[in-house]
Amino acid sequence: ASATSSDGALKVSTVSSVELQNVRQREIKHIQQQIVVLARYAGIDLRQDGRLAESHQAIAKQLQTNIDNTTAEFGDELITGVLPRFDTRKARQFDSYWNWARQDAYEWIQQTIEVCITGVTTDVDVSNKERLQQLQNRADVQLVQMLAATAKILGASNKDVLLPAIQLAHKAHHLLAEQHS
């Protein structure tokens, strides 16, 4: 700032840089206090992220301690030996619904045979109607052929005790055969 005196000389006012820094620090402190007050009024926790970061640092420190202890106990060879060697270029995706359908049909018939022989029922979470629906959804020609062969083999045994299993195999076969004809 400049001003002229009565004798026409130019007067220059100066401000100390230290005083200017003090004023700026007081402004910053006042703004921070206002932010804290407004955050409290709005129900915002300004320390939430800080506490989360502190907890993550504590967890990271604990994990690093575990790694250091393991390395000290077993050496670097163990750690490098168990590192993953996954290569995305070698990844394969298998679609084996057909295999699971065969497995489920076989297990279902096998459970029915066990019940026929032992008389002890197992706790089954799925009803016969639901199981047939699941098989229908995953059925293919080979499953139909497998059920036909299973029904034929069970029928050839001529054991009346296996009648429920034989009926189940026939029912599943006919239902799925209709679907694939």
Side-chain angles (χ1 to χ4, degrees):
S2 62
T4 46
S5 64
S6 58
D7 62 356
L10 188 60
K11 253 179 135 174
V12 177
S13 300
T14 59
V15 177
S16 163
S17 64
V18 173
E19 190 59 34
L20 192 57
Q21 285 179 342
N22 288 341
V23 169
R24 184 69 183 137
Q25 289 298 326
R26 285 193 301 265
E27 284 178 348
I28 290 172
K29 188 174 181 180
H30 180 70
I31 291 170
Q32 289 172 340
Q33 288 172 345
Q34 287 178 333
I35 290 172
V36 170
V37 168
L38 289 173
R40 238 185 255 141
Y41 178 75
I44 298 172
D45 183 7
L46 295 177
R47 287 278 303 138
Q48 178 180 5
D49 291 335
R51 281 191 288 277
L52 182 63
E54 289 169 0
S55 71
H56 284 222
Q57 286 174 346
I59 291 169
K61 184 178 179 181
Q62 179 63 39
L63 290 173
Q64 187 60 49
T65 301
N66 290 347
I67 291 171
D68 292 343
N69 290 341
T70 303
T71 303
E73 180 76 21
F74 299 107
D76 288 330
E77 293 81 27
L78 174 72
I79 301 299
T80 57
V82 296
L83 289 176
R85 291 190 171 100
F86 179 74
D87 185 358
T88 56
R89 295 172 293 166
K90 295 179 182 177
R92 301 289 181 261
Q93 292 182 350
F94 296 99
D95 187 7
S96 61
Y97 72 93
W98 55 270
N99 188 40
W100 286 109
R102 287 180 182 83
Q103 184 70 27
D104 289 346
Y106 176 75
E107 286 178 1
W108 187 20
I109 293 170
Q110 190 62 37
Q111 287 173 351
T112 305
I113 291 171
E114 287 177 22
V115 169
C116 292
I117 293 173
T118 65
V120 178
T121 60
T122 57
D123 294 332
V124 178
D125 295 338
V126 183
S127 70
N128 286 349
K129 184 178 179 182
E130 290 173 1
R131 281 184 168 188
L132 281 172
Q133 183 65 42
Q134 289 173 352
L135 286 178
Q136 278 183 305
N137 291 339
R138 299 177 292 166
D140 61 2
V141 176
Q142 286 81 16
L143 177 61
V144 174
Q145 292 171 350
M146 184 193 92
L147 288 171
T150 303
K152 184 177 179 182
I153 291 168
L154 289 174
S157 69
N158 292 325
K159 294 183 179 178
D160 291 335
V161 73
L162 296 178
L163 189 60
I166 296 168
Q167 290 172 341
L168 171 64
H170 278 295
K171 181 178 181 179
H173 171 255
H174 289 298
L175 184 67
L176 298 179
E178 287 176 11
Q179 178 180 338
H180 285 283
S181 57

